[in-house]
Amino acid sequence: MAPPLPVPPITAPPALRRSLQLPHAAAMVIGTIIGASIFVQPSEVTGAVPSVSGVFLVWAIAGLLTLFGALICAELSSAFPEAGGVYAFLSRAWSPAVGFLWGWAMFWTMHSGIIAAIATVFARYLAYFAPLGDIGTRIVAIGVIVILSAINYVGVRHGSLLQTAFTAGKLVAVLLMIVVAFTLGARVPEHFAGGTTPLAGVPLRDTLLALVAGLFAFGGWHMVTYTAEETVDAERTIPRALFIGVMVVTAAYIALNAAYLYVLPLDTVARSTRVAADAADALLGRGGGNVMAGLVMFSTFGAVSGIILTGPRVYYAMARDGLLFPWVAAVHPRFQTPHVAIVLQALWASFLVATGTFRALFTRVVYTEWIFFGVMSLGLIALRRRSEYAPRYRVWGYPVVPVLFALSSGAIVVNQVITAPGESAAGLGLVAAGLPVYLLWRRRASAS
């Protein structure tokens, strides 16, 4: 009798590599939030709330609400340290359908649209130094997406190191800008010129518009939760990174706005479409715009890097849960990254840049993520009632924090619907279109 053939050893499929530590995770929070908005968005806040003290109050409230959201994500990530972050939280708290709708909106509009939009901002500021034209601007934006996707393709550590380096450089640049403003701005005849009553007399609608503009500049704080399965001791690291990151960004934003209002009159800040460049021009002469263009390019490049890194982890988790094609959950055998999801995201974001469709999609759908944030905060309350729920970290001030965050999310959504009913309906329609897709997918999975 012939000897039996040797049985090959059973090898587990490649898994995501845990290499992100606290400095990388905190840098991801900071670097993802600080993009281009803080260099242009203050005019939106100042125009809606025409007083210096009111401006500072709005930015402080926006930072506090962002911190509330971060604390909610901190508890949920300590209970469910899984790839996908918000997707996993919504699925666990409510149902896979809610998580699927989040991932659906992310891929087609919210996340990919943000990548396309910020990459385009980078290309437009590059055109400040070398005219590119419309086609050239789109080619550069797509090139940025491809390069950063390739870096993240070959390893999450490469992407996180790049993100950490750009975040450090970005914070140094912001600090230098603040120091220069308060040093050279001493020659300005009148500082902090404007109304002194914080929000008295300001219509609620205008206050909410200012707050929405401020919160938009804080966007991306939740994305670090997507990388939980690649984070060392995620149950502790991600909550700490969220807290550190949001506090650092809030301090930086308030200080930057103080610098703007120290150098420029309130009405100038309110009218400006490039407030940071105008402040630099006032301090350094006409060459200040070149300095700010370089800073915006540096900042947006780092922000796109972090956003590209985080998104594919959601699509990977959805595919692993049977809500996408199984091959989307493939992990590269050498680099240990969700390489298929990275490629899909790069292709779709590049298509949005090439066609310019990201503008309409982004403006119509970006506010809808606040619907999911409100549902997520209510999900935390629902989870607290379950005996098997055992987070390693618990939100300070429960239940006040999740309730206030849910109410604030609802106010933002209602205000958007009242202000722009047509765009709001289109955005909700795009998100709701994912529900029949989910039902068909589940029916297909049950039949197979």
Side-chain angles (χ1 to χ4, degrees), residues 275-369:
V275 62
D278 287 343
D281 283 341
L283 294 170
L284 306 174
R286 295 301 299 172
N290 293 332
V291 174
M292 288 314 306
L295 176 56
V296 171
M297 287 175 59
F298 189 89
S299 183
T300 51
F301 192 86
V304 175
S305 174
I307 298 169
I308 285 176
L309 186 154
T310 55
R313 278 67 191 172
V314 176
Y315 317 133
Y316 160 83
M318 292 174 68
R320 190 177 59 181
D321 292 345
L323 297 180
L324 284 178
F325 297 107
W327 44 265
V328 179
V331 175
H332 197 283
R334 176 183 173 189
F335 303 129
Q336 293 179 283
T337 56
H339 61 295
V340 175
I342 292 172
V343 171
L344 288 175
Q345 175 183 260
L347 289 173
W348 182 242
S350 298
F351 175 82
L352 294 178
V353 171
T355 58
T357 50
F358 73 88
R359 296 182 183 88
L361 290 173
F362 182 67
T363 55
R364 289 175 180 174
V365 179
V366 67
Y367 87 96
T368 58
E369 76 176 354

Side-chain angles (χ1 to χ4, degrees), residues 48-50 199-210:
V49 182
L199 295 176
V202 178
L204 178 60
R205 176 179 175 275
D206 291 344
T207 301
L208 285 174
L209 287 174

Side-chain angles (χ1 to χ4, degrees), residues 178-204:
I178 294 167
V179 170
V180 169
F182 282 96
T183 302
L184 299 183
R187 60 177 182 246
V188 176
E190 187 177 5
H191 304 296
F192 302 118
T196 56
T197 305
L199 295 176
V202 178
L204 178 60

Side-chain angles (χ1 to χ4, degrees), residues 377-425:
S377 58
L378 294 176
L380 173 64
I381 297 174
L383 285 167
R384 284 282 191 105
R385 299 174 181 273
R386 300 179 190 174
S387 58
E388 70 275 12
Y389 179 66
R392 189 166 179 176
Y393 160 83
R394 290 181 179 265
V395 169
W396 305 333
Y398 178 88
V400 175
V401 166
V403 168
L404 284 178
F405 189 74
L407 290 174
S408 301
S409 301
I412 290 168
V413 173
V414 170
N415 189 66
Q416 173 67 21
V417 171
I418 294 173
T419 305
E423 287 193 350
S424 300

